[in-house]
Structure formats: structure tokens, C-alpha cells
Amino acid sequence: MLEDLSIKDFALIDSASIDFNTGFTVLSGETGAGKSLLIGALTFLLGGKCGVEQIRAGCHEATVSATFYLGENTAVRAVEVGSDIEPMNAFEWLDLHGIPFEDNRIVLRRYIRESGKSGAWIGSTAVTRADLSSFCSFLVDIHGQHEHQNLMKVSEHRKFLDSYAGLVETVQDFTALYSELVQKRRRLDELNADDKDRAQRIELLSFAIKEISDAKLKNGEDKELDEEETKLSSFEKLYSDIEQVNSILDGGDGNGIVSALKRIRGTAEHAVSLDKNLSALNERLDSAFYEISDIANEYRSYAGGLVFDPERLAQVQERQTLIYNLKKKYASSVSAPIEEVISYLSEAEEKLSRLDAGEADKESLKSEISALEKEIFTRAKDISSRRKEAASRMSKGVVSVLAKLGMASTRFAVKVSDKEESEQMQKIGPYGSDDVEFLISANPGQPLQPLAKIASGGELSRVMLSLKTILASSDPVGTMIFDEIDTGIGGEVAVSIGSHLKNLAEKRQVLCITHLASIAVYADNQLKIQKSVTDGMTQTRVFPIEGEERVQEIARMLSGDAVSSASLDHARSMLGKFS
């Protein structure tokens, strides 16, 4: 449900903040007041095309945002189809994309700048226009001469029929089973690769496994060898450095640091006997003496253990060469860590195991695939039968509603046709063996045609209303917007449309732009759209009306006269009767 909408510098709207309620809401106003701008702003927010011409004159950026209440959270049960995941509602979509929400609400925002750059957010996450449109298909349907029309997409017709037929869960189970079949067939194809190629892969993997295993590599060994090689190959320089350190610390002539500190200690102790305030410094001097003496002893010990070992140096360098060659073959680069070679060994062993078990797996997979194909064929046949039965009922239901909406001569049909057949078997897809499409003929003598070919916005909106009426209990979309539904109608048909919209609004939020008072009086809420000129700039405002202000608006819609007592009395009478 759409809870609020904020528009800034979009077309003629400088700034508008609109709160929406549940039930049936009518948007009305004088011709040219800008009612279509509101739909345009919503269409833009929901992922429609955008252009710099939508920015209000003199401004640098147009922004539209809205808060949607998503309803009660439902368990995530997205269906995997091959590498794709098909969410079934808004919650599943958000879960699949890792987008958080609070209190079952989500905020959408979209902008376009004069440079042509645009951006969109779902919650705090930046998204592409395609993702925005995909998500919003679970939130809003806009019906009229606009882009955002779910029922105009043939790909959506199957979903609506399944929802009407109560087949959603059944088809989800079927899709999961079909996905399992696809995966098993792919695995069998891998196993059925050319025997020569398979033998070559086994040979290469076996060689790699033996070569790496024989090396008996250890994690971090390459770094340890590098450090040891540096030490061994630089023996002379290292020995010279240590000898120089020893000479400075504890020179044989008594001039080393240790000897100097020893002499200083004697003098310092005498000074302490003369001034006790020097005790702390003397203690620190003692500590320094013992620490330096200990360091000197360790350096002497280290020097005593230094031995040049050319044999060990040769072993280390030989090991380094071996590891270098292994990295060159089995790691991303010769500078990569040795762990990459060790990981390659594990992967190679796993691949070899799969290849060795290939023949046994092939027979098992063939048996599993055969059983799955039979089950899928049986289930697809059952789903198709139920779809065709539901399609007949759905077609009659839509025609019945259309007759009450002033389209008595209209024919409507839900076409359920078999997918193409091959020589082996009937073609079956992830959703069954059927192609589903809505067909319509709006004029007598005209053949049934795809729904998308309807030209009239008014007719299109009424077809959508009829479909939504019979799908009311199963359609997941929470907000429906009808534009131009009153084109070319009046009298009893308008009254019937108003009644249908009110009934539809008992189960979801319905917004309708209309010029007809006989539709507007059914609304639970009414918003007025008004255009004005301030300081030479045209502005469009949107605000709720009720009480006497609504009576005056209904009177204006009835006769163009919002002040005469006759018009006002007629408006009060209609509101009292239908609201």
C-alpha cells in the first residue's frame, strides 16, 4: 500500500507531500490542472523512463520518493529456475537482493538531474532502473496509457491464471522439480563428454596430483625458505656485522659499551651515597647495564654458532626451484602463496574422484532423469488440464464484469496453448507445458486479438478493472491506479464502474483519476489537484478535501458549477447515497 508520496521539482510540481489512506481514493481537478503529472511522477518513481524534460523549469534536479507498506511478511519461498531465482512477492525480492526493511515498510527514491544522470534507491540500497521496475511490479499496477502495466506483459498472464486457478503452490513445486531435472541433465552431459577428452583429463589430473603430493608441501614453507636462503647466501656479510656489533658492545681492549657502563656504575653508586635523590636514576642505569650485558652475551653466543653450510644452501635453493616450478604450473602466478598449489591439489583430487566415479554416476543419473521426466510430464499434464478449466471460468467472469462496465459486446478469452512439440516429446518448460495469453475483441465482428493491441486507454482500464475484480482475492499487488477509466462513458456505466472500484478497494488500495462525479462519490477519500500561477510560475498542488469542500468539488464535476444551491444539493444527495 502506498502510504505517502513526496515530489520535488517534477514538471509543474514544485513541492508536494501527499498522504494516502486505505480504500478507494479519487483524484480530481479541472481539466489541465495536472492530474496526469501525478501519475507521471509515480510512473517515474516505479521505474518508468525518464528525461531531463521532467525537471521543473529553472531547477537542476527532480526527485520523487514514497513509502510503501508491504503488508504481513510471508515466508520466503523463491523458486530457482536454472541459474535464476524467481521471487513470488515483495518480501522474497528484498530477501534475494539483500535489502533490509523496517516495520514491513520500504522507502523508494529516484532522481534525475539536468545533466541527464539519474539514480534510484530501494531503502538505503542503490539499484538499477531494471531492478526498481522489477521490485515495484509487486507493489503497484498503473492502468491507462502508461508504461507500468503488469497485465500488458504476456509473460505475466500465466502467473495471473495460476493465481486465479489456485495453482501457485503447485507450479512452484513443479518448477523446483524441473530445476532438479535440468541440473541432473547438465551433470549427465558433463559425464557424457568425449571418452578421449575424459581420459586426457584423468591423465593430467593424475600427473598433477602425483607431482604436488611428492613435493610434500607445507603451508608457509615458501616464506621460510626465502628467509633461510637470504641468511645462508649472505653469510660473510652477516658474520661481519655480528663481529662489529660484538666489538662495539664488549671490545677486548676494555673500551666496549659494557665496560664503559661498568665504570659508570661505580661512579654513579658513589654519587648516590652523596645524594639519595639519584637512586632512581642509578636503578635505571643498573637495568641498562644488565640488559646491555645480556644482549652482548647473546650476540657472542650467536656468533659462536654461525657456521657457513654450503650444502644446506644448495638444498634450500633446490627446494625453492621446485616450489617455483609448481607455482608456475598450478598457481595464479610464481609470486602467489604456496597455499594456492596445495588448494589445487585438493581440487584436482576431487575432480579425479568424480571422473573415476563417472560411469557409475551415469547409470544412476539416467535412471533418476527417466523417473523425473515421467513425473514432470504427468504433473505438467495435470497443471495444463486445471489451467484450461480455470481459463474458461476466468474468461466468462471477465466478460460478465465487462458487460456491467459498458462493454457488453466485448469478448475476452484466456488462451492456453501447448508449447511446441519435438519428435521426442511435448516441450515442457519450468512452469509446465502451456503458453498463456489474454485475448480480447472490443468490437463486434472483430477477431480476438492479444490484449496488448487495445488502443483506447478507457477500454484498457475497464478491461484491467474487470480482471482485477475477479483476481481480487489472489492478486499480490497491493495498490492499483486507474487512469482514463471514464473515457467515453457516463450514466449507469459510470455508476457501475464506481461501484466496482469501491468493492475492489475492500481488499486493496485503489487510486483513480476521474472527471465523473458518479465515480468520485464512491470514494473513501478524495484528493484535489489544482493549478495556479505564482510570481509568473505555474504550480500544481495536491491536497485532500472533505466535508463542504468535497461537496463543492463534486458539484463542479457534475455541472461545472460549484456554488449554485441546485448543484450543491445534487452533490450532497449523491455523496449521501453512494459514499
Side-chain angles (χ1 to χ4, degrees):
M1 169 189 154
L2 175 62
E3 291 190 329
D4 57 66
L5 178 68
S6 295
I7 306 171
K8 178 69 175 174
D9 297 328
F10 186 92
L12 296 178
I13 303 176
D14 59 344
S15 180
S17 294
I18 312 162
D19 291 325
F20 292 90
N21 296 316
T22 57
F24 179 23
T25 298
V26 155
L27 296 92
S28 64
E30 298 276 4
T31 300
K35 296 185 291 297
S36 60
L37 294 182
L38 193 63
I39 300 299
L42 263 172
T43 301
F44 167 74
L45 176 64
L46 300 173
K49 292 181 180 178
C50 63
V52 295
E53 67 278 2
Q54 293 170 311
I55 303 173
R56 179 173 164 80
C59 299
H60 304 293
E61 177 180 291
T63 305
V64 183
S65 62
T67 303
F68 283 89
Y69 175 63
L70 304 177
E72 293 302 314
N73 197 348
T74 53
V76 173
R77 196 188 177 210
V79 177
E80 184 174 353
V81 184
S83 60
D84 298 324
I85 301 290
E86 181 181 5
M88 304 305 293
N89 55 49
F91 292 108
E92 292 176 8
W93 195 99
L94 292 172
D95 180 76
L96 287 171
H97 290 78
I99 298 178
F101 55 89
E102 293 183 7
D103 300 325
N104 290 358
R105 287 174 170 79
I106 197 75
V107 176
L108 308 183
R109 183 167 71 89
R110 193 180 184 199
Y111 74 83
I112 181 168
R113 294 174 182 160
E114 59 183 348
S115 64
K117 180 182 178 181
S118 64
W121 283 263
I122 298 177
S124 58
T125 303
V127 296
T128 63
R129 176 192 164 203
D131 280 343
L132 179 66
S133 179
S134 171
F135 174 64
C136 289
S137 67
F138 294 108
L139 305 180
V140 179
D141 267 344
I142 298 181
H143 304 302
Q145 291 181 340
H146 301 280
E147 296 175 89
H148 197 76
Q149 301 166 355
N150 250 9
L151 285 170
M152 295 298 285
K153 303 173 185 175
V154 176
S155 60
E156 298 293 310
H157 295 179
R158 190 269 311 164
K159 296 180 185 178
F160 283 104
L161 176 59
D162 287 348
S163 181
Y164 177 79
L167 285 170
V168 173
E169 295 286 334
T170 302
V171 174
Q172 284 179 335
D173 291 339
F174 178 90
T175 302
L177 198 67
Y178 181 89
S179 180
E180 183 182 350
L181 175 62
V182 169
Q183 292 170 7
K184 289 184 182 295
R185 282 175 172 170
R186 186 180 299 124
R187 175 74 182 122
L188 183 60
D189 288 341
E190 292 175 359
L191 295 176
N192 281 332
D194 183 76
D195 287 341
K196 181 179 178 181
D197 176 61
R198 181 171 172 272
Q200 288 176 341
R201 284 192 292 159
I202 289 176
E203 183 180 354
L204 290 172
L205 288 170
S206 298
F207 178 84
I209 290 168
K210 185 178 186 306
E211 187 176 28
I212 299 172
S213 297
D214 288 348
K216 294 182 172 56
L217 303 175
K218 295 184 296 183
N219 288 333
E221 182 183 3
D222 50 346
K223 293 181 180 178
E224 293 175 4
L225 288 169
D226 288 344
E227 292 173 3
E228 187 176 2
E229 194 273 341
T230 299
K231 175 183 174 181
L232 291 169
S233 63
S234 305
F235 176 82
E236 290 184 4
K237 176 61 177 172
L238 176 61
Y239 186 84
S240 174
D241 289 343
I242 297 302
E243 282 297 297
Q244 187 176 354
V245 170
N246 282 331
S247 176
I248 294 171
L249 286 173
D250 197 8
D253 56 2
N255 293 323
I257 293 174
V258 174
S259 297
L261 283 172
K262 190 174 183 179
R263 291 193 297 273
I264 292 170
R265 283 182 70 217
T267 304
E269 286 176 1
H270 183 263
V272 170
S273 68
L274 300 176
D275 185 355
K276 299 299 181 182
N277 290 326
L278 295 172
S279 296
L281 282 174
N282 191 53
E283 289 174 2
R284 290 170 62 188
L285 183 60
D286 284 346
S287 296
F289 171 74
Y290 290 123
E291 179 67 14
I292 295 297
S293 295
D294 187 58
I295 291 172
N297 288 333
E298 291 200 22
Y299 266 108
R300 281 196 300 273
S301 176
Y302 181 85
L306 274 177
V307 178
F308 178 58
D309 188 348
E311 185 177 342
R312 176 56 186 166
L313 176 59
Q315 291 173 350
V316 169
Q317 290 175 336
E318 183 180 353
R319 184 71 173 170
Q320 285 180 309
T321 300
L322 172 64
I323 291 175
Y324 175 90
N325 290 331
L326 290 175
K327 286 183 178 181
K328 193 173 182 180
K329 288 183 179 181
Y330 307 116
S332 58
S333 70
V334 293
S335 60
I338 198 170
E339 285 75 13
E340 284 194 16
V341 180
I342 296 172
S343 295
Y344 185 94
L345 173 62
S346 298
E347 293 170 5
E349 289 174 335
E350 184 180 343
K351 289 178 180 177
L352 183 61
S353 176
R354 287 203 304 265
L355 286 170
D356 287 340
E359 287 304 317
D361 286 349
K362 280 169 62 175
E363 295 307 314
S364 176
L365 274 172
K366 286 178 181 177
S367 177
E368 292 171 10
I369 288 171
S370 177
L372 278 173
E373 286 176 341
K374 290 177 182 177
E375 184 175 358
I376 284 174
F377 181 80
T378 300
R379 290 198 189 189
K381 189 175 181 181
D382 175 64
I383 289 172
S384 181
S385 176
R386 294 169 65 181
R387 277 178 178 155
K388 290 173 181 176
E389 185 276 328
S392 176
R393 288 188 288 112
M394 187 176 181
S395 300
K396 292 175 182 177
V398 171
V399 169
S400 176
V401 175
L402 285 174
K404 298 174 183 177
L405 300 180
M407 298 177 68
S409 59
T410 298
R411 291 184 297 140
F412 180 89
V414 180
K415 180 184 177 183
V416 181
S417 55
D418 294 335
K419 290 183 179 294
E420 295 179 7
E421 293 185 11
S422 64
E423 294 181 1
Q424 291 78 25
M425 61 180 294
Q426 179 178 314
K427 185 176 180 181
I428 295 177
Y431 310 111
S433 59
D434 306 308
D435 287 324
V436 178
E437 184 174 12
F438 295 163
L439 305 177
I440 192 166
S441 170
N443 300 301
Q446 295 295 316
L448 288 166
Q449 293 183 331
L451 185 65
K453 291 189 176 181
I454 294 180
S456 165
E459 288 180 339
L460 180 58
S461 291
R462 277 179 277 170
V463 170
M464 298 308 170
L465 176 56
S466 65
L467 284 166
K468 290 296 184 177
T469 298
I470 67 168
L471 293 171
S473 61
S474 56
D475 188 354
V477 177
T479 299
M480 285 179 286
I481 301 173
F482 292 91
D483 186 18
E484 299 181 331
I485 199 169
D486 54 8
T487 301
I489 64 167
E492 293 182 2
V493 173
V495 171
S496 180
I497 288 177
S499 175
H500 271 79
L501 289 171
K502 189 173 184 67
N503 291 336
L504 189 59
E506 292 178 1
K507 296 184 178 180
R508 65 202 62 243
Q509 184 185 44
V510 175
L511 308 179
C512 177
I513 292 179
T514 184
H515 297 277
L516 298 179
S518 48
I519 292 177
V521 291
Y522 279 97
D524 302 304
N525 320 286
Q526 188 161 349
L527 298 175
K528 185 174 181 179
I529 301 173
Q530 183 172 291
K531 185 163 66 176
S532 61
V533 178
T534 304
D535 297 329
M537 291 291 291
T538 303
Q539 298 178 346
T540 293
R541 295 176 55 237
V542 184
F543 53 92
I545 55 174
E546 55 186 14
E548 191 61 25
E549 196 172 9
R550 187 180 181 197
V551 171
Q552 292 174 2
E553 176 65 5
I554 295 297
R556 182 199 64 76
M557 295 173 75
L558 282 168
S559 61
D561 183 356
V563 295
S564 72
S565 57
S567 295
L568 293 172
D569 287 344
H570 190 187
R572 289 191 188 95
S573 174
M574 291 184 69
L575 285 168
K577 180 178 180 181
F578 298 113
S579 64

